[in-house]
Amino acid sequence: MRDVRDALMVARNSEGKLVRRPLSPHLQVYRWPISMALSILHRVTGVGLAIGTLLLTWWLVAAASSDDVFDRAQWFMGSALGLLLLFGWSVALIFHFFSGIRHLVWDAGVGFDAPTYNTSGWAVLIATGACTVLVWVIGLAVW
Amino acid sequence: MAGTNNTPHVDVLRSPLGRARGLGSARAGSGHWWAQRLTALALVPLTLWFIYAVIHLSGASHQTVIDWLSAPLTLGLMLALIVATFYHLQLGLQVVVEDYVHNELLKVASVLLIKALSVLLALVCIVSVLKIGL
């Protein structure tokens, strides 16, 4: 025991076994409310989009060089792996877009009560799904 | 602590030791926060335009992309998008690193690396776009 306060963290469970009391709050313990899931998702998609800018940079660099280099980049974007990356990128972007607007509204001091943030959370998810489908239907139709 | 005696005191959220060592807020927090919101706000219309542009350019030939970027409005919007995007992502990644990396050296090194890479990638994007559009 490194710290005397650790003594307060030890207790017996219902079988009489000595166990450490759980710390609070802890991700595995709670049922995930939508606000918690979306908060984490906002961060995860943000990091994903940051990495995704490498794809944008590559595409712009390719466009600034020869026809051959650009055609190779365009070919990759249209390949199975390219389309998968673009799909992931589009979902992340659209989610981060709507979730970001939700955050901006909170920053203005609006929508902090539980019924509102639960509704707005589901609205973000529904809007993300609908717009992703819409973007891909139009995108594939134009392509 | 407040309420334990009647001597005059000031409640400060930093410990006396923290204050003596000069650790704590760098007093740059509100600037960071504000810059992140401002770039987010700028990215709302820019993202909508960019998604439209990507759909518009899906499967486009090289010449089509060159013609598209040669329009001054497109070039200007693209530059604004690049600057806002890299500024915003660098601020966001900094917060993520500061939240999860607790080793001081590793934290500072990661943040500096993120900022350096963001500036470099932004410059590469800007030069590419200008090379095509100008």
Side-chain angles (χ1 to χ4, degrees):
Chain A
M1 206 172 284
R2 289 167 307 165
D3 193 312
V4 69
R5 281 170 297 187
D6 280 358
L8 296 171
M9 296 303 297
V10 177
R12 286 186 192 282
N13 66 8
S14 54
E15 288 155 8
K17 212 175 130 201
L18 270 180
V19 289
R20 265 176 177 278
R21 293 182 197 275
L23 294 167
S24 164
H26 221 279
L27 294 182
Q28 304 104 300
V29 173
Y30 292 111
R31 182 179 65 83
W32 280 44
I34 183 171
S35 49
M36 178 165 139
L38 293 193
S39 170
I40 293 170
L41 210 54
H42 190 71
R43 192 160 259 204
V44 169
T45 52
V47 173
L49 287 167
I51 298 167
T53 54
L54 289 172
L55 210 62
L56 172 72
T57 309
W58 179 44
W59 189 77
L60 287 174
V61 168
S65 38
S66 66
D67 283 354
D68 280 355
V69 176
F70 182 75
D71 287 345
R72 217 173 304 143
Q74 283 294 73
W75 172 84
F76 176 77
M77 301 293 180
S79 70
L81 179 62
L83 285 175
L84 186 70
L85 286 174
L86 281 177
F87 182 75
W89 175 78
S90 65
V91 177
L93 182 66
I94 292 168
F95 172 80
H96 202 83
F97 176 84
F98 284 118
S99 180
I101 290 173
R102 184 166 171 249
H103 274 277
L104 285 173
V105 172
W106 282 336
D107 292 335
V110 180
F112 274 123
D113 55 310
T116 310
Y117 66 64
N118 283 326
T119 309
S120 64
W122 284 108
V124 164
L125 282 182
I126 292 165
T128 302
C131 286
T132 307
V133 170
L134 192 70
V135 160
W136 279 87
V137 165
I138 297 172
L140 290 175
V142 171
W143 190 40
Chain B
M1 280 286 115
T4 51
N5 56 45
N6 292 323
T7 52
H9 67 278
V10 181
D11 286 324
V12 180
L13 288 176
R14 280 165 68 190
S15 69
L17 182 62
R19 278 205 286 165
R21 282 177 174 168
L23 295 174
S25 170
R27 306 213 166 269
S30 53
H32 181 287
W33 187 92
W34 182 240
Q36 198 174 25
R37 310 304 127 152
L38 213 59
T39 48
L41 209 56
L43 281 168
V44 170
L46 287 170
T47 302
L48 288 176
W49 168 78
F50 186 64
I51 290 173
Y52 162 76
V54 169
I55 292 174
H56 179 69
L57 290 172
S58 59
S61 69
H62 193 195
Q63 195 54 48
T64 314
V65 174
I66 292 171
D67 292 344
W68 172 75
L69 257 179
S70 299
L73 181 63
T74 313
L75 187 58
L77 284 170
M78 203 63 205
L79 288 172
L81 178 86
I82 291 166
V83 171
T85 297
F86 283 100
Y87 196 6
H88 185 79
L89 80 83
Q90 159 258 316
L91 291 169
L93 289 180
Q94 179 186 353
V95 174
V96 174
V97 167
E98 285 170 350
D99 278 356
Y100 303 131
V101 181
H102 300 309
N103 178 296
E104 192 66 22
L105 183 69
L106 197 62
K107 180 170 78 184
V108 173
S110 309
V111 170
L112 288 179
L113 188 68
I114 285 166
K115 291 197 185 255
L117 280 177
S118 305
V119 171
L120 190 67
L121 282 176
L123 286 174
V124 169
C125 284
I126 289 168
V127 168
S128 300
V129 161
L130 288 178
K131 196 180 160 200
I132 302 165
L134 288 182

